[in-house]
């Protein structure tokens, strides 16, 4: 409908109806026989039944029948029949679980990421989603933080920027009301990835320059791509919780970045400002949030129970409420919900499109590009089918490979690695032993207890563990090569999964150590949601293939890479640490006055471990062997509005074909503020036929050299620069140039 109609509708609304639009609840209650908010899951929100039928949006209800039922029940009792908005966390896919976001980032393939996002948007749109809480654009430098698994751009602002744009475009399309398009709610504003020591929900204190230079670009890119919504973060940003931070929301997001869409709090984050000690009580929390500019209160009763009094006390607050409600109504209108409250819900397509064969096939290919080959001594991979292979480890016969955020996908549809191996090689040719559990039960119990779930006691767990490892050793003895399927538990990464120890679990390390004694080649397929500390096992392994949490098609994707039908091409987007004590660790750090170039005591270094990362940003091997040579610049002075052309020869020196991602980094050698040792400024992922030689070309212009200088201006300062090209952030060739 026309915008004037939307405004007319706003004028017809009572204050309670307006406030209701600014409240989001979990929708299960509308599915109950006897709807009563003073009992059941919404009890804590202290909503009135009247307010329930005024709420504007619903969290995480999906599926054609369920969504329809909720919408019908709501509309049957709502006076003005303003449809509900359905918002959800479709983080790595709806029914098809894609690889987790950190893995998707490792493809360095923007087209493929777009494709995954489009499939995810289409599946979830058919099933009722109007708004998706994705992408998560929090720059992440600390693998202790469990949410790094959701960070598509990893530790890099440039990748973050590119992926943010691609994903928002893919979710929203040209017109968000059209089938297959949904509104994107980017999150979490702001700098959530920088929480102290990786502790979730914690403190962030950083200079404005650091924030603008590294953390803001991905969010900004999504805003410039017209993302419809923003979610605030749980953390404090420079002394004030992000959710009530006026500088952040008003000055930066609304005024400077001109964001016109809706701002929603994270789950109960408005209420949490009381625990932060930044709001005195509930009413004050509501006042702080509305003054900062939060339009929707997700899952706390703060707006529902306090905004009315605040509006009656102040015309200014009432006006802010009107503005927020207008934004919400406009989004509903843009989605076409006033004409059709069911959006693109479609029972028929739910049956035919969701999990369809061609999308699953496509997904498998995308998944293969997320795998990162971390080690491949003596070309142990790909495996030969005629060798006797033993599959050992808790992930060999496990369907829990979709990651902690794939809350809508049906894990029972996942094949296991063991199944696909047996299918390919024949039952009799596959040796298998579980070896050990992913985690000891007492570790799992800690997680279950914190979840409020019942714990399990296992009698003689230690003895059972030893026996199981022994059994695995016996099985492995019969093999020529051991394929280990190991990693983190999916409940160990994601929200509220901060960890101080990011090694493999002790029982899995014991398994590796015992098998190592057999002196057979060992390859580890690693399942994980974060960079892990691998220095305590790596030297025992001949090969390591990191497959993250690969999702629905994971097992089939893995077997094809293991046997060389497909060549791995992923490159890391987060550095792997030598040791957890090195975290946060990232490639684009500053130099100190004593750079750690020499092995000399009074340098910025560790005494006990190398200072460099274990695996650097951008790292990832291939079954091909690529040679880089002849880095050339067409000139070495860059003038205003001009560019330098950089070329390098890359040759595939092997008999197989494969992708290589050629990376361009720049260093500004001197600036009004210190500049990082390297910054990614470009990359090309290209397919090489066997023995193919390509001349790769990049262009450098002044725009790429801009940074937030000592006056907090975004400018390029003239001087000397280094350009690096290489296969990862450490393995590069370099040349200098100047700007005038
Ligand atoms: C998370 C968000 C998520 C929201 C809704 C919160 O706990 O931080 O990322 O979108 O829940 O489920």
């Amino acid at each position: 409908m026309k915008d004037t109609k939307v405004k007319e509708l706003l004028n017809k609304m009572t204050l309670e109806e307006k406030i209701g639009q600014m409240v989001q609840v979990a929708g299960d209650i509308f599915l109950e026989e006897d709807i009563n908010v003073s009992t059941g899951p919404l009890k804590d929100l202290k909503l009135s039944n009247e307010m329930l039928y005024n709420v504007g949006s619903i969290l995480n209800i999906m599926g054609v029948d369920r969504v329809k039922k909720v919408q019908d029940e709501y509309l049957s009792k709502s006076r003005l029949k303003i449809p509900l908005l359905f918002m959800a966390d479709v983080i790595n896919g709806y029914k098809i679980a894609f690889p987790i976001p950190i893995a998707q980032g490792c493809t360095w393939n923007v087209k493929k990421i777009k494709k995954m996002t489009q499939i995810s948007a289409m599946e979830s749109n058919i099933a009722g989603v109007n708004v998706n809480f994705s992408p998560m654009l929090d720059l992440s430098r600390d693998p202790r933080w469990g949410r790094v698994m959701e960070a598509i751009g990893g530790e890099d602002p440039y990748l973050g920027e590119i992926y943010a744009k691609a994903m928002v475009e893919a979710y929203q399309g040209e017109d968000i009301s059209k089938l297959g398009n949904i509104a994107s709610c980017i999150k979490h504003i702001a700098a959530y990835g920088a929480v102290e020591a990786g502790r979730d929900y914690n403190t962030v204190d950083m200079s404005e320059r650091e924030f603008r230079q590294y953390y803001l670009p991905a969010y900004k890119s999504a805003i410039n791509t017209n993302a419809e919504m923003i979610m605030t973060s749980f953390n404090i940003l420079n002394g004030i919780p992000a959710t009530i931070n006026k500088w952040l929301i008003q000055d930066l997001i609304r005024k400077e970045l001109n964001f016109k869409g809706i701002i929603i709090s994270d789950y109960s984050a408005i209420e949490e400002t009381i625990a932060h000690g930044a709001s005195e009580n509930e009413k004050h929390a509501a006042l702080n949030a509305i003054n900062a500019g939060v339009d929707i209160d997700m899952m706390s009763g703060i707006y529902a129970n306090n905004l009315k009094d605040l509006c009656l006390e102040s015309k200014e607050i009432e006006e802010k409420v009107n503005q927020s409600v207008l934004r919400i109504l406009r989004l509903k209108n843009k989605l076409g919900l006033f004409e059709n409250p069911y959006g693109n819900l479609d029972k028929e397509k739910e049956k035919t499109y969701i999990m369809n064969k061609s999308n699953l096939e496509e997904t498998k290919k995308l998944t293969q590009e997320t795998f990162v080959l971390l080690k491949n001594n003596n070309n142990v991979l790909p495996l030969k089918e005629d060798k006797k292979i033993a599959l050992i480890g808790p992930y060999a016969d496990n369907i829990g490979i979709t990651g902690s955020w794939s809350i809508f996908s049906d894990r029972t549809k996942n094949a296991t690695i063991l199944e696909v191996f047996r299918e390919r090689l024949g039952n009799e040719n596959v040796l298998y032993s579980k070896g050990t559990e992913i985690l000891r039960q007492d570790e799992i119990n800690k997680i279950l207890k914190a979840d409020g779930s019942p714990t399990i006691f296992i009698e003689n767990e230690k003895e059972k563990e030893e026996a199981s490892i022994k059994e695995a050793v016996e099985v492995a003895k019969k093999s020529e090569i051991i394929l280990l399927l190991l990693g983190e538990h999916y409940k160990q990464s994601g929200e509220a999964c901060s960890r101080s120890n990011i090694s493999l679990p002790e029982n899995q390390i014991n398994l590796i150590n015992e098998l190592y004694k057999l002196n057979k080649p060992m390859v580890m397929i690693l399942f994980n949601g974060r960079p892990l500390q691998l220095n305590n096992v790596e030297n025992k392994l001949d090969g390591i293939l990191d497959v993250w949490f690969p999702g629905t098609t994971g097992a089939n994707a893995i077997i094809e890479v293991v046997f060389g039908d497909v060549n791995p091409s992923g490159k890391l987007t987060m550095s792997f640490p030598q040791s957890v004590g090195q975290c946060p660790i990232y490639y684009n750090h500053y130099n100190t006055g004593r750079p750690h170039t020499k092995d000399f005591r009074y340098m910025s270094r560790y005494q006990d471990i190398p200072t460099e990362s274990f695996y650097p940003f951008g790292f990832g091997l291939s079954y091909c062997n690529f040679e880089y040579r002849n880095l050339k610049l067409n000139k070495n002075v860059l003038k205003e509005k001009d560019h330098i052309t950089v070329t390098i020869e890359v040759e595939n020196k092997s008999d197989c074909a494969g992708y290589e991602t050629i990376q361009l980094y720049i260093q500004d050698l001197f600036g009004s503020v210190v500049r990082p040792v390297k910054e990614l400024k470009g990359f090309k992922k290209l397919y090489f036929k066997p023995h193919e030689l390509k001349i790769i070309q990049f262009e450098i212009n002044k725009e790429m050299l801009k940074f937030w200088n000592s006056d907090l201006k975004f400018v390029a300062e003239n001087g000397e620069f280094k350009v690096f090209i290489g296969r990862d952030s450490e393995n590069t060739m370099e040349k200098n140039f100047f700007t005038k």
Side-chain angles (χ1 to χ4, degrees):
M1 63 190 188
K2 291 236 166 67
D3 199 52
T4 45
K5 289 267 178 216
V6 177
K7 286 187 182 145
E8 277 169 28
L9 177 60
L10 178 70
N11 289 335
K12 283 191 209 145
M13 294 169 79
T14 63
L15 189 51
E16 287 82 355
E17 283 167 341
K18 289 178 186 169
I19 292 167
Q21 289 298 315
M22 299 171 71
V23 178
Q24 172 163 110
V25 297
D28 306 55
I29 188 153
F30 291 109
L31 298 168
E32 284 170 17
E33 285 294 298
D34 181 18
I35 296 174
N36 184 349
V37 274
S38 54
T39 57
L42 292 184
K43 195 169 80 211
D44 291 348
L45 303 187
K46 298 190 207 98
L47 296 189
S48 64
N49 261 38
E50 192 196 350
M51 182 53 91
L52 183 69
Y53 286 91
N54 285 335
V55 300
S57 57
I58 292 296
L59 169 68
N60 282 341
I61 291 283
M62 291 192 66
V64 174
D65 293 339
R66 284 160 64 81
V67 168
K68 185 161 184 311
K69 193 158 178 221
V70 172
Q71 190 70 285
D72 285 343
E73 169 60 30
Y74 175 86
L75 289 176
S76 71
K77 304 227 172 55
S78 112
R79 186 180 74 96
L80 290 170
K81 313 263 174 262
I82 301 174
L84 285 167
L85 265 179
F86 288 82
M87 307 197 191
D89 291 286
V90 184
I91 307 301
N92 47 303
Y94 172 52
K95 288 291 176 193
I96 298 185
F98 295 105
I100 55 174
I102 190 176
Q104 294 187 25
C106 292
T107 61
W108 297 55
N109 188 332
V110 181
K111 266 199 194 148
K112 292 242 157 113
I113 289 176
K114 268 192 142 169
K115 183 74 202 171
M116 283 190 241
T117 311
Q118 277 160 347
I119 297 174
S120 169
M122 179 63 106
E123 278 202 347
S124 49
N125 190 227
I126 289 168
V129 170
N130 307 126
V131 178
N132 190 13
F133 294 136
S134 166
M136 193 271 235
L137 301 172
D138 305 323
L139 186 102
S140 302
R141 292 171 164 178
D142 194 332
R144 289 172 295 182
W145 190 48
R147 303 200 76 165
V148 303
M149 61 91 81
E150 296 169 58
I152 182 99
E155 70 193 36
D156 192 65
Y158 177 74
L159 279 182
E161 238 171 28
I162 290 179
Y163 291 162
K165 179 169 186 293
M167 287 187 75
V168 173
E169 279 173 0
Y171 279 132
Q172 299 194 163
E174 299 272 292
D175 172 350
I176 51 168
S177 72
K178 292 264 151 64
L179 173 67
N181 295 342
I182 50 184
S184 166
C185 175
I186 63 161
K187 63 193 190 186
H188 308 84
I189 300 271
Y192 187 23
V195 282
E196 272 178 10
R199 284 192 283 271
D200 211 355
Y201 314 116
N202 221 279
T203 302
V204 176
D205 212 307
M206 70 168 64
S207 73
E208 189 176 334
R209 177 176 312 104
E210 188 78 1
F211 174 68
R212 286 180 178 273
Q213 188 71 45
Y214 300 104
Y215 291 84
L216 188 57
Y219 307 130
K220 192 170 161 183
S221 159
I223 292 171
N224 290 342
T225 314
N226 300 321
E228 293 287 347
M229 281 184 60
I230 284 178
M231 186 188 294
T232 64
S233 55
F234 289 122
N235 56 283
I236 298 166
L237 182 62
N238 297 337
I240 298 169
T243 303
I244 56 170
N245 193 315
K246 274 196 196 163
W247 172 79
L248 176 68
I249 301 177
Q250 284 302 329
D251 300 352
L252 182 72
I253 303 295
R254 288 263 185 240
K255 294 200 188 101
E256 187 180 321
L257 301 182
N258 199 21
F259 177 68
K260 298 269 188 274
I262 295 170
I263 296 185
I264 186 170
S265 76
D266 202 345
Y267 200 106
S268 76
I270 299 182
E271 188 172 6
E272 288 168 23
T273 63
I274 303 171
H276 276 298
S279 300
E280 220 175 328
N281 49 39
E282 294 197 354
K283 190 171 172 191
H284 190 212
L287 181 66
N288 278 337
I290 187 82
N291 272 337
V294 175
D295 301 308
I296 301 179
D297 175 0
M298 184 200 293
M299 288 302 285
S300 86
I302 299 290
Y303 271 6
N305 302 322
N306 298 281
L307 272 186
K308 186 172 176 189
D309 284 352
L310 290 170
C311 287
L312 295 176
E313 283 162 24
S314 152
K315 279 268 158 246
E316 210 185 309
I317 299 294
E318 197 183 346
E319 188 38 38
K320 286 186 176 160
V321 166
N322 284 334
Q323 288 306 316
S324 290
V325 177
L326 189 57
R327 280 193 275 268
I328 296 163
L329 296 179
R330 279 184 172 148
L331 180 62
K332 292 185 176 187
N333 191 35
K334 221 170 164 181
L335 285 158
L337 297 182
F338 290 112
E339 285 76 29
N340 173 12
Y342 307 118
N344 298 314
L345 267 189
D346 193 321
K347 190 84 194 153
E348 208 33 54
K349 290 208 173 68
E350 191 177 44
K351 282 191 220 130
T352 54
Y353 183 84
I354 291 178
M355 293 282 277
N356 79 25
K357 235 177 151 190
S358 86
N359 282 341
L360 284 167
E361 191 50 37
E362 186 78 38
T363 304
K364 185 181 73 185
K365 291 192 201 135
L366 309 168
T367 303
Q368 284 159 337
E369 283 200 43
T370 67
F371 299 168
V372 186
L373 183 61
L374 296 174
K375 183 171 185 182
N376 200 20
N377 275 11
N378 306 319
N379 295 327
V380 62
L381 284 175
L383 301 186
K384 314 254 172 326
E385 291 193 25
D386 56 1
K387 289 256 186 255
K388 260 259 163 288
I389 302 165
L391 298 186
I392 310 277
Y395 270 111
D397 195 19
N398 199 316
I399 52 171
I401 56 172
T402 46
S404 58
W405 265 118
S406 73
I407 48 184
F408 303 106
S409 120
D410 177 1
R411 292 198 295 165
T412 61
K413 298 267 172 8
N414 303 349
T416 75
I417 313 282
L418 181 62
E419 283 162 7
V420 297
F421 265 74
R422 283 185 171 152
E423 205 175 297
R424 179 159 174 153
L425 302 179
N427 273 1
E428 63 290 356
N429 296 321
V430 182
L431 296 163
Y432 161 68
S433 175
K434 185 175 185 182
T436 187
E437 301 295 332
I438 298 176
L439 267 183
R440 289 188 181 133
Q441 192 58 42
D442 59 341
E443 291 295 321
I444 296 183
N445 283 346
K446 282 186 207 158
I447 301 171
L448 293 175
K449 216 165 138 199
D451 265 349
S453 310
T455 54
I456 299 165
F457 174 72
I458 297 192
E459 221 170 298
N460 301 329
E461 190 177 13
K462 195 119 210 340
E463 287 75 20
K464 284 184 182 146
E465 185 180 306
E466 279 166 13
S468 174
I469 291 181
K470 266 199 188 130
E471 193 183 303
V473 171
E474 288 311 310
V475 172
K477 273 184 187 162
K478 297 180 212 142
S479 71
E480 291 168 276
I481 184 154
I482 302 169
L483 196 62
L484 281 161
L485 293 304
L486 303 177
E488 283 190 299
H489 196 286
Y490 75 92
K491 277 184 186 263
Q492 287 184 293
S493 58
E495 187 176 343
C497 294
S498 301
R499 288 173 60 200
S500 69
N501 173 0
I502 53 170
S503 289
L504 283 174
E506 199 186 28
N507 51 318
Q508 295 190 35
I509 297 178
N510 291 347
L511 174 68
I512 296 179
N513 290 342
E514 289 307 311
L515 291 167
Y516 180 63
K517 293 179 188 157
L518 297 179
N519 204 16
K520 292 183 191 267
M522 288 210 284
V523 175
M524 172 167 75
I525 309 291
L526 179 64
F527 295 80
N528 52 330
R530 50 154 65 79
L532 294 178
Q533 177 179 336
L534 295 175
N535 66 348
N536 41 7
V537 292
E538 184 267 351
N539 61 351
K540 311 214 165 70
L541 303 164
D542 300 277
I544 305 176
L545 180 71
D546 193 344
V547 298
W548 310 100
F549 286 108
T552 308
T553 63
N556 284 301
I558 290 168
I559 195 168
E560 291 181 4
V561 171
V562 164
F563 285 118
D565 310 341
V566 174
N567 191 346
S569 63
K571 300 263 187 181
L572 296 177
T573 58
M574 275 189 84
S575 311
F576 273 48
Q578 301 275 349
S579 135
V580 73
Q582 220 183 8
C583 300
I585 177 146
Y586 46 96
Y587 82 98
N588 46 358
H589 59 84
Y590 301 118
N591 257 332
T592 67
R594 297 185 179 199
H596 60 269
T597 43
K598 277 188 246 154
D599 200 12
F600 173 63
R601 178 162 171 200
Y602 295 99
M603 292 298 201
S604 179
R605 64 192 279 275
Y606 290 98
Q607 286 191 327
D608 52 346
I609 49 167
T611 310
E612 296 76 25
S613 60
F614 198 68
Y615 295 120
F617 172 84
F619 177 77
L621 304 169
S622 156
Y623 297 154
C624 302
N625 168 22
F626 295 105
E627 188 179 284
Y628 285 63
R629 54 176 190 251
N630 261 332
L631 174 66
K632 281 191 198 147
L633 307 188
N634 70 336
K635 54 186 160 214
N636 66 357
V637 178
L638 175 63
K639 295 198 186 128
E640 218 52 59
K641 300 207 168 66
D642 197 6
H643 65 262
I644 293 182
T645 303
V646 193
T647 51
I648 191 157
E649 287 174 20
V650 179
E651 187 176 353
N652 177 6
K653 304 279 270 185
S654 47
D655 295 333
C656 66
Y659 284 95
E660 172 68 339
T661 301
I662 298 112
Q663 302 160 34
L664 173 102
Y665 297 87
I666 292 180
Q667 181 186 16
D668 186 346
L669 292 176
F670 167 79
S672 61
V673 292
V674 291
R675 305 289 298 119
V677 295
K678 251 174 215 165
E679 289 176 293
L680 182 73
K681 292 290 174 182
F683 63 89
K684 290 190 175 168
K685 182 165 185 171
L686 300 170
Y687 186 74
F688 286 76
K689 290 187 221 127
H691 298 281
E692 185 175 352
L693 166 75
K694 285 187 200 280
I695 299 180
I696 319 290
Q697 186 170 318
F698 290 96
E699 283 178 0
I700 302 176
N701 58 44
K702 280 211 169 171
E703 202 50 40
M704 293 157 79
L705 308 178
K706 286 188 173 169
F707 67 101
W708 293 92
N709 76 357
S710 55
D711 301 324
L712 267 191
K713 298 251 157 44
F714 192 62
V715 293
E717 293 177 351
N718 283 337
E720 189 176 2
F721 296 79
K722 249 188 215 310
V723 53
F724 309 80
I725 297 192
R727 62 187 88 233
D728 61 57
S729 60
E730 277 179 15
N731 227 309
T732 51
M733 302 180 78
E734 59 186 69
K735 284 242 185 282
N736 288 22
F737 69 93
F738 297 85
T739 60
K740 271 196 182 148

